[in-house]
Amino acid sequence: MECQIGVISGDGIGPEIVTEAKKVLDQVGKKYGHNFRYTEILMGGCSIDATGVPLTDDAIETAKASDAVLMGSIGGNTSTSPWYKLAPELRPEAGLLKLRKSLNLFANLRPAYLYEELKEACPLRDDIIGDGFDMMIMRELTGGLYFGERKTEEVDGVVTATDILTYNENEIRRIAKRGFDIAMKRCKKVTSVDKANVLDSSRLWRKVVEEVAKDYPEVTYEHMLVDNCAMQLVKDPKQFDVILTENMFGDILSDEASMVTGSIGMLSSASLNDTKFGLYEPSGGSAPDIAGKGIANPIATILSAAMMLRYSFDLDKEADAIENAVKQVLKEGYRTIDIMPQAGESKDGITQVGTVKMGDLIAERV
Ligand code: IPM
Ligand code: MG
């Protein structure tokens, strides 16, 4: 198969982790007879430095012309980087939001899975972890607070900021359907998360999810308030299969879920629209504090590449090969620093490796 992949290396640790994901993809290509061709796309701080804006129209066109886009991470240190002295619409993150919106990537899938080998890295007690957990956070990605009108103005001499949270029923319906479709392929349970005790947008969310649920009689579903969900994620994460939620809640809950899987460096994600196209990116950020040190964990990006093979190219066998290679490497005791056992825990059979070595080990086991 010929695949044209747009690559956004981005900022911070982005270029380091993307290099490893491409290494693993190339190995898959060699072994299974596919040709992955890459076109670099500038986005984020590196695009600001080169063009003055975080994402050019040309870059959007290149992304649209690709079969899928693989991304590292964008942005810098929000207190020290000069990028954050620019107007908000010129900052690195604005590029990512523009890309998501321009490509209509409304469905963000963030799997949070606890590897048997990483139980030690999970901050929860053993009795809570039990046999581990495996959930899929389905985050709506092109609506809500992220895309509502916002302004800062003086009202009667007082500086006042406003961000508007809007959802229409169609936006809710399409993500809800995706969530239930995915639940059908998993454990057939949907937890729809909202704040319906306070917000109108959440009350509409709940009503539309109930309508969609009628078409999926095999799927058990429940509603959960977002504050309770934040608590349940650390109290009993095993209860979740698919968590279906709006943009901002999904942003926050997915970081929380990633931490209970051990490290944000393990969490992949896929952002999809109504076609086979997708944007695949680790859920973590650009980690400017460790950029260039060769210690970043490339696994989330490598697993995002596996999601790309599965969802955009229907290469399930190849995606399995990457996921199994990751499991194998963890089983053999290789760890980047973020998933190393903590002080006081046994390091028997554990070898700490850097970014490049981790990529090599996974590629060798594909
Ligand atoms: C994420 C990130 C982004 C978001 C930022 C970088 C704009 O935190 O993908 O979760 O909030 O969506
Ligand atoms: Mg986030």
Side-chain angles (χ1 to χ4, degrees):
M1 185 171 189
E2 290 283 322
C3 307
Q4 180 56 51
I5 302 170
V7 175
I8 300 174
S9 295
D11 311 313
I13 59 171
E16 297 166 64
I17 53 183
V18 162
T19 300
E20 299 317 306
K22 277 159 65 180
K23 185 187 286 173
V24 173
L25 281 173
D26 288 339
Q27 182 58 29
V28 169
K30 216 188 279 169
K31 182 154 177 207
Y32 294 87
H34 305 297
N35 188 12
F36 300 119
R37 277 177 291 119
Y38 310 102
T39 311
E40 188 65 35
I41 299 174
L42 277 185
M43 188 172 90
C46 54
S47 173
I48 297 174
D49 292 344
T51 70
V53 292
L55 185 71
T56 62
D57 291 342
D58 275 355
I60 296 178
E61 287 315 311
T62 311
K64 278 189 181 159
S66 312
D67 297 319
V69 173
L70 180 67
M71 180 185 145
S73 54
I74 53 134
N77 184 316
T78 50
S79 6
T80 57
S81 160
W83 298 328
Y84 295 92
K85 299 212 164 58
L86 299 168
E89 64 280 7
L90 291 176
R91 294 180 192 173
E93 286 73 8
L96 177 57
L97 299 187
K98 190 172 171 190
L99 187 67
R100 287 175 180 168
K101 195 71 174 179
S102 321
L103 296 172
N104 196 25
L105 303 170
F106 66 88
N108 184 214
L109 281 60
R110 298 191 160 181
Y113 171 80
L114 182 66
Y115 286 87
E116 174 72 33
E117 292 74 22
L118 291 187
K119 278 188 174 168
E120 300 288 294
C122 173
L124 303 178
R125 280 198 323 259
D126 282 350
D127 61 310
I128 297 176
I129 299 173
D131 299 332
F133 42 83
D134 179 357
M135 66 188 103
M136 177 69 88
I137 300 191
M138 291 284 305
R139 169 189 177 195
E140 200 292 327
L141 203 59
T142 51
L145 270 177
Y146 277 61
F147 294 96
E149 192 196 324
R150 66 181 94 257
K151 60 182 176 206
T152 305
E153 62 191 340
E154 225 172 88
V155 178
D156 298 332
V158 182
V159 182
T160 307
T162 308
D163 296 278
I164 295 181
L165 199 180
T166 305
Y167 268 108
N168 70 42
E169 56 177 319
N170 298 333
E171 291 170 312
I172 301 171
R173 196 167 290 114
R174 65 182 180 179
I175 186 74
K177 281 187 179 159
R178 273 296 167 89
F180 279 82
D181 282 341
I182 295 218
M184 284 296 289
K185 294 190 188 145
R186 296 175 45 100
C187 299
K188 301 197 170 83
K189 179 175 176 195
V190 170
T191 304
S192 172
V193 174
D194 62 37
K195 188 70 185 171
N197 53 348
V198 179
L199 304 176
D200 255 36
S201 53
S202 282
R203 287 188 272 269
L204 180 61
W205 183 278
R206 208 171 259 222
K207 178 168 169 275
V208 174
V209 168
E210 260 160 31
E211 287 164 16
V212 170
K214 291 200 181 95
D215 294 331
Y216 297 85
E218 283 175 60
V219 177
T220 328
Y221 78 100
E222 62 182 351
H223 301 289
M224 190 178 278
L225 296 173
V226 63
D227 45 354
N228 183 28
C229 182
M231 187 171 79
Q232 295 298 330
L233 272 171
V234 289
K235 190 168 172 243
D236 180 20
K238 288 190 296 295
Q239 70 183 289
F240 296 111
D241 179 25
V242 173
I243 293 182
L244 170 65
T245 193
E246 64 93 60
N247 205 343
M248 175 89 154
F249 298 159
D251 178 46
I252 299 168
L253 294 175
S254 60
D255 268 31
E256 188 188 357
S258 77
M259 213 42 238
V260 301
T261 69
S263 165
I264 194 154
M266 296 298 299
L267 205 72
S268 56
S269 96
S271 305
L272 309 174
N273 58 22
D274 276 325
T275 72
K276 278 281 170 195
F277 180 89
L279 168 69
Y280 299 86
E281 49 169 317
S283 297
S286 60
D289 51 322
I290 60 164
K293 293 191 178 155
I295 58 172
N297 185 349
I299 293 181
T301 320
I302 292 169
L303 292 173
S304 300
M307 289 185 92
M308 175 174 77
L309 298 184
R310 199 181 292 288
Y311 291 104
S312 283
F313 304 142
D314 288 320
L315 298 174
D316 286 336
K317 187 166 66 259
E318 291 81 345
D320 289 345
I322 295 182
E323 289 165 4
N324 289 333
V326 168
K327 275 188 202 145
Q328 183 61 32
V329 164
L330 294 174
K331 196 175 278 166
E332 290 171 34
Y334 295 104
R335 304 280 188 274
T336 44
I337 189 164
D338 55 308
I339 48 176
M340 279 294 284
Q342 301 299 303
E345 288 165 0
S346 162
K347 292 194 177 60
D348 285 353
I350 300 290
T351 313
Q352 187 175 326
V353 296
T355 313
V356 173
K357 181 73 182 171
M358 185 55 101
D360 288 342
L361 290 164
I362 295 170
E364 279 161 20
R365 284 156 185 75
V366 157

